Amino acid sequence: MRVQEGINSMAGADQFPIGMRVLAVDDDPVCLKLLENLLLRCQYHVTTTNQAVEALKLLRENKDRFDLVISDVIMPDMDGFKLLELVGLEMDLPVIMLSGNGGTENVMKGITHGACDYLLKPVRLEELKNIWQHVVRRKFRHRERNTNLSTEDPEFDKLPNSNPSHAQGQHGQNSSSDNSGRYSKKRKDQNEPEEEDGEDNGYDNEEPDPSAQKKPRVVWSVELHRKFVAAVNQLGIDKAVPKRILELMNVEKLTRENVASHLQKYRLYLKRLSAVASQQASLAAAFGARDPSSYLRMGMFEGLQSYHPLASSSQIPSSLTSFQATGGPLLNRSNPATLGLPGLSPSLSNNSLSSNPLNELNKFQLVNLPGNSYHANLLHDQLPSELSFSNVTNNALLPQTSQDCMQPRQSAVAATSFHAKPITFENRCLTKAENQSLEIPSSSNDIFLGRDIKCQSSIFNEESKLLSFGGASQNNTKLQWRQDDLHESTLLLSSYLDSQLPNNSCNTMADPVTIAATGSGMVQGLNGGVFNQREGVATSGIIGSSISGLTAMTNHDSQLKQREEYNLGVQKVQGGYGSNGCSMDGLLNSVIKMERDDISYSDGDIGCDLYPLGACM
Amino acid sequence: MDYVHLRRQAASLRKGLFDQGYLDEQFYQLEDLQDDASPNFVEEVVTLFFRDSARLMANIDQALDKCVKDFNKLDVYMQQLKGSCTSIGASRMKTDCSAFRECCRDENIEGCMRSFQKIKREHSVLRQKLESYFQLLRQAGPVECATRPNK
């Protein structure tokens, strides 16, 4: 009856699977108790909860707290499949579904949502004895990816060069995937065998012993990301190959692999944006589509900062995709900034946190705010990456973006610098509202608009500051970004804004944020406090605040709703960040939490994080 | 000793439950999980079951009383109840739950009500028997926990 002891090479010297930490979720107390005991009998470490919401909270609090999640399908507070998706995206943990219904349809649904396994009730001990395999499998996959990262990247890089059509197809595949995170993983898996053949060749050229040496992690600062996005935009997203991008970027010590993995994330991010965008489309339409770009902007910066190749990449891509969809045009528009964003997304998604929380938020809350929601959604999904992208992507872009800001979405993305993101975002939203007859509270709009303009310029100025900020805390930000929670970025932003804005105009900019935040109650947390908490957090704070601010501003009605929704999660954030108050808190919280979780991802190559995110494949 | 007698009684009561189809193999699982670490596991789970199922059944009662004929809702409740029954091995109740769900699918409100009455009866009988069983066990002393039937 006891699980065999120790063993696994993956686990190393410890006695895995003994002591494997499982989180069990089931609303039926009888089943839950039974499950708990069965798991204890397998010598696992068990935590139980009968609420999916609670489970998510536990998972987000500490990403490393659990190795595996077992969840019932039918639960009153949240659909089991939804929980499954979120966990897969945000935390990249294996999830096993439990159900009394073993119909093919249900099982299929479980698998498509990323479940590692699907068990029927009543669960038997023998079945539970083997669930540790899913944890191992995932670790193996991650390790493989990490090891092969250098090899893969060159391959990845090579493919476009040597076989453009093939590469394109692959990329195309990747982007067309509806489950970006997972898909990217899949694609990677598919690529691996293909690449392995030529691997040696490429490899030797690039790095003599990639697997053996641990490459120092490249921190994708705002500046760097901006260059990256500029290069990508210049080449065209479809034709952007790592080698060319690298050439265009002309950054010392940046390798093609770095660019390749960053590009991968970026693509995922874009995908995610479009997915989010489509979600937000209706909302945005209502509001007249505030600037998605502003969201992007916000996210971009963050994304850059925390461009860890976080496992959560899968998350981000989806958000990015959706974002794109909504913004539709946002991403696809000529605005280079937007292009840049997608890149961020991947990184964001890596953080996995951002996308998820955002998505979640979006779903819950954005509905009401036409403009805000859109933004919010954007923020959620994309903030981390998007914002950072916009800012970072292109110094050159910035000027454009500010102009763009006035334009629907796209501009927003590019224009704002890190600081600006939140503010710009808001401002832009307002601006757009005005231009597009969005329903924005006039009073707030005015304020923002005015500031917006000022901010824009100041934003740029600040950007350098931001960048440096990002640079300094790159590591931190990276981590944060990983969280991919908007909250984080928001917080960061706000805090950063607060602490960093030397420029008067910047301060002005901050004001809008503050204003917005105030409206939503978010801003408070942003200032200072957030910043100090986590390097990355500052960013998110800002974003979060901006998001909330926007939300608050744009739509009073929706604000209420949003705020309420945000407030759900907000409370938590508040603690960390001071008075976020707004609904953003929830976002922020998640972001922040994610950050913490993401920190574990920081080591290793950039590229590796992408993979873990995918669902259990 | 009297303990022996009590234990024998408990064993036969238990056997009867299996023979009459009130309990199935799943109940063995519960018993297997009982050990020194959780000496009253089976009783705890069963108690939990009756408490939770009472709640669910009250919900179903209410839903049926309203005569709104919300079959979906009824089906959901019943699915939950069935899940619980399955977990502890309450075999007869499980069958009755399935029958109820069939009636829901057929949108046969009469059938649902009849079926539900049966479920209530089964529930009550099972509860009685299991309560007696555990009582006997307790009286028989900690020496002998639930044992597997010698089948």
Side-chain angles (χ1 to χ4, degrees):
Chain A
M1 296 277 260
R2 302 295 184 214
V3 173
Q4 66 268 25
E5 305 200 345
I7 327 104
N8 215 319
S9 57
M10 286 301 304
D14 62 349
Q15 291 192 312
F16 185 89
I18 289 184
M20 184 174 80
R21 299 157 303 167
V22 182
L23 174 64
V25 190
D26 193 333
D27 65 314
D28 183 341
V30 177
C31 296
L32 192 61
K33 189 170 172 73
L34 180 62
L35 185 60
E36 181 184 23
N37 270 264
L38 284 168
L39 291 168
L40 285 172
R41 183 57 70 90
C42 294
Q43 293 187 284
Y44 301 143
H45 184 269
V46 187
T47 306
T48 61
T49 173
N50 61 355
Q51 286 192 339
V53 175
E54 175 75 22
L56 267 178
K57 173 169 163 271
L58 286 172
L59 286 165
R60 286 178 176 155
E61 263 169 15
N62 183 355
K63 219 171 170 203
D64 287 332
R65 198 172 151 194
F66 299 104
D67 297 311
L68 179 79
V69 179
I70 297 186
S71 165
D72 188 18
V73 168
I74 311 250
M75 287 187 287
D77 62 336
M78 186 190 290
D79 182 29
F81 294 114
K82 175 74 185 293
L83 174 66
L84 162 62
E85 243 181 352
L86 291 172
V87 174
L89 282 177
E90 288 184 34
M91 294 113 203
D92 189 32
L93 285 176
V95 182
I96 294 178
M97 301 305 292
L98 270 186
S99 176
N101 181 351
T104 307
E105 242 181 58
N106 271 1
V107 177
M108 180 67 79
K109 197 173 175 194
I111 293 174
T112 53
H113 280 77
C116 291
D117 207 347
Y118 195 104
L119 303 177
L120 292 188
K121 290 184 187 178
V123 187
R124 292 196 319 277
L125 189 65
E126 299 75 40
E127 290 175 328
L128 290 178
K129 276 199 214 167
N130 285 330
I131 59 176
W132 57 266
Q133 63 179 285
H134 302 294
V135 177
V136 172
R137 194 176 300 133
R138 202 170 270 246
K139 282 191 193 156
F140 265 134
R141 200 182 292 146
H142 292 188
R143 280 191 202 187
E144 259 176 15
R145 291 218 182 84
N146 290 347
T147 313
N148 292 335
L149 186 62
S150 47
T151 44
E152 284 171 354
D153 281 344
E155 286 311 310
F156 180 89
D157 196 15
K158 260 174 46 164
L159 282 173
N161 296 336
S162 58
N163 190 356
S165 57
H166 178 57
Q168 288 297 331
Q170 287 182 337
H171 294 319
Q173 270 181 349
N174 198 19
S175 45
S176 61
S177 164
D178 52 347
N179 195 342
S180 52
R182 300 198 185 124
Y183 189 89
S184 64
K185 240 168 121 171
K186 262 192 217 162
R187 188 179 64 75
K188 201 59 176 174
D189 289 341
Q190 292 166 7
N191 289 347
E192 281 169 314
E194 293 161 355
E195 292 174 353
E196 269 164 332
D197 296 337
E199 238 177 71
D200 297 337
N201 301 338
Y203 221 11
D204 293 337
N205 298 338
E206 299 292 332
E207 302 217 343
D209 195 8
S211 45
Q213 76 193 67
K214 181 162 177 160
K215 298 199 282 200
R217 188 178 263 281
V218 168
V219 174
W220 282 86
S221 64
V222 173
E223 187 75 46
L224 209 55
H225 183 71
R226 204 180 297 144
K227 280 191 183 157
F228 170 82
V229 176
V232 168
N233 292 334
Q234 194 172 327
L235 294 169
I237 188 65
D238 287 334
K239 295 211 168 66
V241 296
K243 185 174 178 184
R244 300 285 314 281
I245 296 172
L246 187 64
E247 286 165 6
L248 282 172
M249 282 176 72
N250 194 22
V251 170
E252 230 181 64
K253 293 189 186 165
L254 193 67
T255 68
R256 210 163 66 179
E257 293 85 67
N258 298 139
V259 174
S261 62
H262 193 75
L263 176 65
Q264 211 170 21
K265 292 185 192 168
Y266 187 65
R267 286 180 200 275
L268 291 172
Y269 173 80
L270 284 171
K271 218 187 304 173
R272 195 186 171 100
L273 280 178
S274 63
V276 171
S278 50
Q279 281 180 16
Q280 304 306 330
S282 53
L283 293 174
F287 275 106
R290 279 179 143 219
D291 272 331
S293 54
S294 44
Y295 285 108
L296 289 176
R297 264 176 299 168
M298 297 178 56
M300 284 179 43
F301 183 74
E302 298 201 290
L304 286 181
Q305 301 263 331
S306 51
Y307 195 135
H308 280 301
L310 299 169
S312 49
S313 51
S314 57
Q315 294 175 355
I316 300 190
S318 55
S319 59
L320 287 174
T321 318
S322 53
F323 182 79
Q324 278 181 334
T326 348
L330 190 81
L331 292 178
N332 300 324
R333 286 190 197 174
S334 50
N335 192 349
T338 45
L339 285 181
L341 290 178
L344 281 179
S345 318
S347 26
L348 283 179
S349 44
N350 286 329
N351 290 318
S352 67
L353 294 177
S354 54
S355 51
N356 289 331
L358 290 178
N359 289 326
E360 267 187 291
L361 282 175
N362 293 334
K363 289 174 190 167
F364 301 149
Q365 312 168 2
L366 295 176
V367 178
N368 298 312
L369 295 175
N372 290 331
S373 48
Y374 179 81
H375 291 295
N377 288 333
L378 291 178
L379 288 176
H380 290 300
D381 295 330
Q382 307 169 342
L383 271 190
S385 51
E386 291 183 32
L387 291 177
S388 18
F389 268 102
S390 46
N391 293 327
V392 178
T393 25
N394 233 327
N395 286 319
L397 289 177
L398 291 173
Q400 296 173 18
T401 49
S402 43
Q403 311 275 329
D404 290 338
C405 288
M406 302 315 283
Q407 295 168 19
R409 304 189 193 162
Q410 292 188 340
S411 52
V413 174
T416 42
S417 56
F418 185 73
H419 284 297
K421 286 192 224 172
I423 302 181
T424 317
F425 178 74
E426 293 176 339
N427 292 329
R428 300 221 185 269
C429 295
L430 292 176
T431 307
K432 283 192 79 73
E434 289 200 339
N435 295 338
Q436 304 180 2
S437 59
L438 287 177
E439 305 144 22
I440 301 178
S442 50
S443 56
S444 43
N445 291 339
D446 294 338
I447 297 173
F448 279 91
L449 289 176
R451 291 178 196 276
D452 185 31
I453 296 174
K454 289 183 197 169
C455 295
Q456 290 187 4
S457 50
S458 51
I459 291 175
F460 288 115
N461 297 335
E462 286 311 306
E463 279 200 317
S464 53
K465 284 194 171 27
L466 288 174
L467 292 180
S468 53
F469 165 74
S473 57
Q474 272 178 358
N475 292 331
N476 295 326
T477 27
K478 269 203 298 192
L479 290 177
Q480 274 225 312
W481 203 58
R482 279 220 300 204
Q483 292 237 334
D484 52 23
D485 216 337
L486 283 181
H487 298 291
E488 289 191 344
S489 38
T490 317
L491 290 175
L492 269 177
L493 288 176
S494 45
S495 59
Y496 186 69
L497 282 175
D498 241 293
S499 49
Q500 303 274 339
L501 292 176
N503 192 333
N504 289 337
S505 52
C506 290
N507 291 329
T508 319
M509 291 196 298
D511 291 346
V513 174
T514 314
I515 293 175
T518 311
S520 53
M522 287 199 22
V523 173
Q524 311 159 27
L526 295 178
N527 302 332
V530 173
F531 189 85
N532 297 329
Q533 289 193 358
R534 266 178 182 253
E535 295 91 84
V537 172
T539 316
S540 43
I542 298 179
I543 297 182
S545 49
S546 48
I547 299 178
S548 49
L550 285 176
T551 320
M553 299 199 315
T554 50
N555 196 342
H556 291 306
D557 293 340
S558 41
Q559 277 180 357
L560 287 180
K561 287 187 189 175
Q562 265 199 346
R563 216 176 300 177
E564 287 166 6
E565 292 179 326
Y566 279 111
N567 285 330
L568 290 179
V570 171
Q571 304 312 321
K572 295 175 195 173
V573 174
Q574 302 235 343
Y577 293 93
S579 41
N580 273 325
C582 301
S583 47
M584 288 307 297
D585 289 347
L587 269 180
L588 292 172
N589 272 331
S590 46
V591 173
I592 298 176
K593 284 187 186 163
M594 292 210 271
E595 272 190 346
R596 291 187 217 137
D597 297 337
D598 283 341
I599 292 179
S600 58
Y601 281 103
S602 35
D603 66 320
D605 297 324
I606 296 180
C608 61
D609 289 340
L610 284 176
Y611 310 113
L613 265 195
C616 299
M617 305 286 279
Chain B
M1 312 219 74
D2 210 34
Y3 291 139
V4 176
H5 171 66
L6 286 172
R7 259 180 264 137
R8 228 184 288 141
Q9 251 190 302
S12 97
L13 184 54
R14 179 176 173 281
K15 188 166 187 295
L17 284 169
F18 280 105
D19 289 344
Q20 290 159 33
Y22 285 99
L23 295 177
D24 62 21
E25 308 80 41
Q26 179 63 20
F27 198 77
Y28 296 148
Q29 281 256 346
L30 294 186
E31 292 176 332
D32 277 344
L33 285 174
Q34 184 157 302
D35 56 12
D36 295 337
S38 36
N40 299 312
F41 180 68
V42 187
E43 190 175 353
E44 283 166 11
V45 177
V46 169
T47 308
L48 196 54
F49 168 74
F50 282 114
R51 196 183 322 143
D52 193 54
S53 55
R55 178 185 61 86
L56 280 171
M57 285 165 65
N59 287 343
I60 297 175
D61 242 337
Q62 216 177 24
L64 282 173
D65 278 346
K66 282 189 190 155
C67 295
V68 172
K69 295 196 183 177
D70 186 349
F71 289 107
N72 279 338
K73 197 158 149 200
L74 288 172
D75 189 64
V76 168
Y77 284 140
M78 194 45 72
Q79 192 174 14
Q80 287 178 308
L81 183 61
K82 185 178 172 196
S84 290
C85 295
T86 313
S87 293
I88 72 156
S91 170
R92 277 179 137 179
M93 274 191 73
K94 186 170 67 168
T95 312
D96 293 333
C97 289
S98 299
F100 182 96
R101 292 186 76 196
E102 283 271 342
C103 292
C104 282
R105 272 194 287 275
D106 299 338
E107 299 204 349
N108 174 3
I109 193 70
E110 296 287 330
C112 283
M113 294 186 125
R114 259 181 278 123
S115 185
F116 188 60
Q117 293 306 318
K118 183 155 194 299
I119 291 174
K120 282 203 273 195
R121 282 198 301 272
E122 290 288 342
H123 182 259
S124 145
V125 167
L126 184 63
R127 176 187 243 150
Q128 261 175 4
K129 289 186 184 264
L130 281 174
E131 274 174 3
S132 311
Y133 171 63
F134 286 120
Q135 200 174 15
L136 280 171
L137 278 185
R138 261 179 269 128
Q139 285 169 353
V143 175
E144 196 157 0
C145 295
T147 54
R148 297 194 81 118
N150 297 325
K151 280 201 171 176

